[in-house]
Amino acid sequence: MQKTILSLTIGLSLFLGLSACQPTSNTSLESNDPKNAEQVNTPTPMPIETTISKPSTPTDSAIDAKTCLSLSNTIKKVDNTSKIDAIYAIQKQLKSCLPTASNDEVLSLLKDYQTMYKRFLSHETDMNTVESELAFFNILSALEQDKKIPKEDLEQISPRLRYLISLIQSDADVSVRHLGEGFYTFDHDLKAMADIFTPYLLPDQKAFIERMATDNQDIFWSDVAITTTFKELVKRAVFWEDYGQRYPNGYAIKDAKFLLDVYRNALFFGSNNTRWVDNNVQTFTQPQYQQLMMQLAKRPNSALAKDAQTYLEFLVLSDSERQQTYPAPSTDEKGYKLDERAMVHYQLKKRCRFLLFGMPMATIESA
């Protein structure tokens, strides 16, 4: 029986990276780069709901300041014994604190908030028997399919797990996510979390957080297959290339470059169970894939466009031209004979070596 696991990620959590079976990065909260502070202007804080009110009195300000100073400690006290009401109370306090917080304080609170939810949803220690694991799988599978949960399964799991499941059923900010291959986990609304914090971030920080929150709502890898569409891969690769060009010294720029590599490799190499071209790498499996690749190749001032041009040029080479220009060995490093598909991919990687630079192919929450 497979054990249930918690998701991160590129779900996927915002800053904790992508997973071994999905693109994984060591995305982290980085301190602001002084160079970036010069290239972007601090955005005017956008009021949120109750922040649109009469000007605060000195007494109100004093109370808010005291609350804000202790908020980080309050967030850190939330764990897997807490109730959802504790989180709702924190969200209310954040609406008062964030408009007056410094950029570093906003980022610190955001990191604390995300880690808080990870603790709140943690449940690994509650899976003590094969029966409880099987019951947990049956329950989350039923939730995913909007089916009725068998009472006998609920009796097999811990009170904490029953509480988390009740939150899902009551439409609280808790959901179930299928990670593939029989793995399930609890998650929360990343976009709602981003909405709380992004009005008080610098433009490059806001762009990064909003994109990660959107992309990490679903897993990227499942059963060695890419779960998103080819069109979406193009969009994500283009976004991260544009981000790097717009904010060369921006927030988490290293992670942005990593994500560009993730999606670029997914575009040109696919995965074991996801192929955009035939085994001979000569014909796209769907006409729209070729159309999208040709559109990508026409982007101005784009390294991705040059990659796409190189890829398209490789596709039209004959077998003899490929072997003459990029000779492939008859055996691999272990002495095993290379089949036709393996030889073609060897040649493709020789032709498109730029695709491999800086890319840990085995680990992306994932490509």
Side-chain angles (χ1 to χ4, degrees):
M1 177 68 189
Q2 294 174 317
K3 291 185 177 181
T4 55
I5 61 175
L6 291 174
S7 69
L8 68 93
T9 4
I10 186 187
L12 297 211
S13 72
L14 287 182
F15 309 110
L16 303 182
L18 311 170
S19 71
C21 286
Q22 339 200 90
T24 59
S25 76
N26 294 319
T27 310
S28 59
L29 288 168
E30 299 180 356
S31 60
N32 295 329
D33 190 316
K35 297 179 181 178
N36 184 57
E38 298 175 0
Q39 72 179 45
V40 295
N41 296 320
T42 303
T44 301
M46 295 173 58
I48 299 182
E49 299 176 9
T50 56
T51 65
I52 305 178
S53 58
K54 65 179 181 179
S56 61
T57 65
T59 301
D60 293 333
S61 299
I63 293 173
D64 286 346
K66 183 177 180 181
T67 300
C68 294
L69 286 173
S70 63
L71 185 52
S72 180
N73 290 331
T74 302
I75 291 175
K76 291 175 181 177
K77 291 179 181 178
V78 174
D79 59 17
N80 59 357
T81 64
S82 303
K83 300 297 184 180
I84 193 69
D85 289 343
I87 294 179
Y88 292 155
I90 288 170
Q91 291 173 348
K92 184 176 180 180
Q93 293 175 42
L94 283 168
K95 291 178 181 179
S96 297
C97 295
L98 290 176
T100 58
S102 68
N103 185 253
D104 285 343
E105 289 169 341
V106 175
L107 291 174
S108 179
L109 286 169
L110 174 53
K111 182 178 181 181
D112 290 342
Y113 186 93
Q114 185 185 7
T115 305
M116 170 195 71
Y117 250 113
K118 184 178 180 182
R119 292 192 305 271
F120 180 76
L121 298 175
S122 174
H123 61 84
E124 289 180 333
T125 57
D126 293 328
M127 310 304 296
N128 299 320
T129 66
V130 173
E131 289 77 15
S132 63
E133 287 184 8
L134 179 59
F136 183 71
F137 172 85
N138 291 339
I139 291 168
L140 294 193
S141 179
L143 282 172
E144 184 187 34
Q145 301 174 54
D146 293 325
K147 293 182 178 179
K148 185 177 180 180
I149 299 174
K151 182 179 178 181
E152 56 270 24
D153 285 332
L154 285 171
E155 294 172 350
Q156 290 289 333
I157 61 175
S158 70
R160 181 62 184 181
L161 285 174
R162 287 198 292 271
Y163 175 70
L164 293 178
I165 290 165
S166 72
L167 293 180
I168 297 174
Q169 293 175 313
S170 62
D171 293 326
D173 188 12
V174 177
S175 58
V176 60
R177 177 184 296 186
H178 186 203
L179 302 179
E181 301 185 51
F183 291 108
Y184 288 90
T185 188
F186 292 112
D187 210 341
H188 65 109
D189 190 342
L190 298 178
K191 293 184 70 175
M193 179 174 68
D195 289 344
I196 294 174
F197 290 91
T198 54
Y200 311 103
L201 294 174
L202 299 175
D204 61 316
Q205 298 166 347
K206 179 180 179 179
F208 182 88
I209 300 306
E210 287 180 335
R211 188 70 200 193
M212 291 298 292
T214 299
D215 292 351
N216 287 342
Q217 288 291 341
D218 298 302
I219 61 173
F220 187 81
W221 292 102
S222 178
D223 301 337
V224 201
I226 298 170
T227 60
T228 191
T229 65
F230 190 81
K231 183 177 182 179
E232 178 64 20
L233 281 178
V234 173
K235 288 176 59 178
R236 293 187 186 187
V238 167
F239 174 88
W240 292 114
E241 181 178 49
D242 288 345
Y243 182 93
Q245 293 174 348
R246 187 174 183 184
Y247 306 112
N249 299 307
Y251 172 77
I253 186 62
K254 291 182 180 179
D255 295 300
K257 291 179 178 178
F258 176 86
L259 290 167
L260 172 58
D261 277 344
V262 166
Y263 295 123
R264 181 169 57 177
N265 277 268
L267 273 176
F268 295 110
F269 290 99
S271 72
N272 287 348
N273 290 337
T274 302
R275 301 177 188 175
W276 317 117
V277 293
D278 62 2
N279 286 343
N280 294 327
V281 191
Q282 292 178 327
T283 305
F284 286 96
T285 57
Q286 297 291 335
Q288 60 266 33
Y289 299 163
Q290 183 174 5
Q291 295 170 5
L292 289 166
M293 188 68 75
M294 293 176 69
Q295 292 173 11
L296 182 61
K298 296 177 181 179
R299 272 174 53 82
N301 304 316
S302 167
L304 269 175
K306 294 180 180 179
D307 294 348
Q309 292 164 14
T310 300
Y311 187 80
L312 291 169
E313 290 168 0
F314 180 83
L315 263 64
V316 299
L317 293 176
S318 65
D319 292 342
S320 59
E321 288 173 328
R322 291 175 178 179
Q323 184 60 21
Q324 181 177 358
T325 310
Y326 312 105
S330 58
T331 60
D332 61 18
E333 64 276 5
K334 295 182 179 180
Y336 294 105
K337 184 178 180 180
L338 289 178
D339 59 26
E340 184 177 355
R341 181 171 182 269
M343 291 183 69
V344 171
H345 277 259
Y346 177 93
Q347 293 166 334
L348 176 60
K349 290 177 181 179
K350 292 286 285 185
R351 177 69 180 91
C352 305
R353 286 187 295 177
F354 56 83
L355 296 176
L356 305 178
F357 295 161
M359 181 59 195
M361 287 293 292
T363 61
I364 33 191
E365 257 181 3
S366 228

